[in-house]
Amino acid sequence: MTLLAHISDLHLDGSERATRRATHVMDYLRALPHPVDALLVTGDIADHGEEAEYEEAARILAAPFPVLTCPGNHDARPAYRKALLGQAPDPGPVNRVHHIAGTTILMCDSTIPGRDEGHLDADTLAWIDDTLTALPQDATALIAFHQPPVALHHPLPDSGMLQEPGQLAALIDAHPQVAAVLTGHAHTAAASTFAVRPLIVAPAITWALRMPWEGDQAADRDQPPGLAFHVLSDDRRLTTHYRVVL
């Protein structure tokens, strides 16, 4: 069994509010009596893509368990690499693979610099294919990135969803090791399916999306920050529990 925590959309901007909400969630996770195997952070870590925002993120996200990240549309690859990952500030896609408690986790870069919508470029798709091909057939893998590849029935996230999702779906169809797809971006805890796999969307740290039937104003800033816990069993069954951190 693999136990993962999953957060998204911190939008750290140097404000007291953003810092407090992200710190509160991390304090909660660090205090768990049984620690998670890893924490996944699916993008929009910074609000403006500035180095200082990633330096703050590195401090807040420091934990006794692995913290796996991928960028979102508010993130800037060079500053993200330099200040958060300690790498050269290269503008290319940030794709990283991690092996956690028997599960292979692909943290993928679905961002298009300067755009809200997402896209997995040819190099990233080839990297996903090569990484999954190298795994044994009985391995278990998760694919994580920022923009959901399906509509969530709200005009705000649906205007910035992953473009050309069929390319990823074809890859997943070819690789039975993939147990689920994990994303962020929508600011709402959601569950759907994609390529006959679970698609799980993490709630946001910064504010919650108010769905059309809940009111006209999209951003509910009074909702507490949320997170997801994913339990991945040996038979590739994914069970997700959502929590708010009061």
Side-chain angles (χ1 to χ4, degrees):
M1 186 185 83
T2 307
L3 173 61
L4 304 169
H6 180 191
I7 64 175
S8 198
D9 297 85
L10 285 67
H11 289 271
L12 293 170
D13 58 2
S15 69
E16 185 276 335
R17 179 184 182 276
T19 298
R20 170 172 43 83
R21 289 172 71 93
T23 299
H24 191 38
V25 170
M26 290 304 300
D27 287 346
Y28 170 80
L29 289 173
R30 285 189 289 259
L32 289 173
H34 301 286
V36 298
D37 292 310
L39 167 65
L40 279 60
V41 188
T42 47
D44 279 1
I45 296 167
D47 195 49
H48 306 102
E50 297 176 356
E51 282 189 29
E53 294 170 337
Y54 296 113
E55 290 168 354
E56 181 183 31
R59 292 191 297 270
I60 292 174
L61 294 173
F65 42 78
V67 177
L68 321 181
T69 66
C70 64
N73 54 293
H74 277 253
D75 291 308
R77 290 168 177 170
Y80 174 105
R81 272 200 166 95
K82 180 180 178 182
L84 189 60
L85 303 182
Q87 299 178 352
D90 187 276
V94 185
N95 298 311
R96 306 177 85 199
V97 61
H98 308 268
H99 302 284
I100 303 293
T103 299
T104 298
I105 303 173
L106 286 72
M107 302 297 292
C108 309
D109 189 340
S110 61
T111 65
I112 307 171
R115 304 280 293 275
D116 289 337
E117 66 269 28
H119 185 256
L120 297 168
D121 66 16
D123 288 344
T124 296
L125 289 169
W127 175 81
I128 294 171
D129 191 25
D130 290 345
T131 302
L132 295 174
T133 298
L135 297 177
Q137 286 292 300
D138 61 352
T140 300
L142 297 171
I143 298 177
F145 49 90
H146 188 60
Q147 290 93 343
V150 301
L152 297 178
H153 308 289
H154 190 289
L156 185 58
D158 290 351
S159 66
M161 58 186 287
L162 187 77
Q163 304 297 297
E164 299 183 279
Q167 296 177 317
L168 177 62
L171 271 182
I172 292 174
D173 286 341
H175 293 287
Q177 303 97 328
V178 179
V181 176
L182 310 176
T183 71
H185 187 55
H187 288 236
T188 181
S192 186
T193 58
F194 177 72
V196 201
R197 306 296 202 284
L199 169 67
I200 305 296
V201 183
I205 300 299
T206 181
W207 52 261
L209 181 70
R210 190 178 280 116
M211 298 303 289
W213 54 87
E214 295 179 299
D216 295 331
Q217 188 169 351
D220 185 348
R221 296 172 64 86
D222 294 327
Q223 284 286 333
L227 71 150
F229 289 111
H230 304 304
V231 183
L232 188 58
S233 59
D234 293 339
D235 62 357
R236 296 196 186 113
R237 180 183 296 275
L238 186 77
T239 304
T240 298
H241 302 267
Y242 287 109
R243 291 289 181 270
V244 294
V245 183
L246 299 172

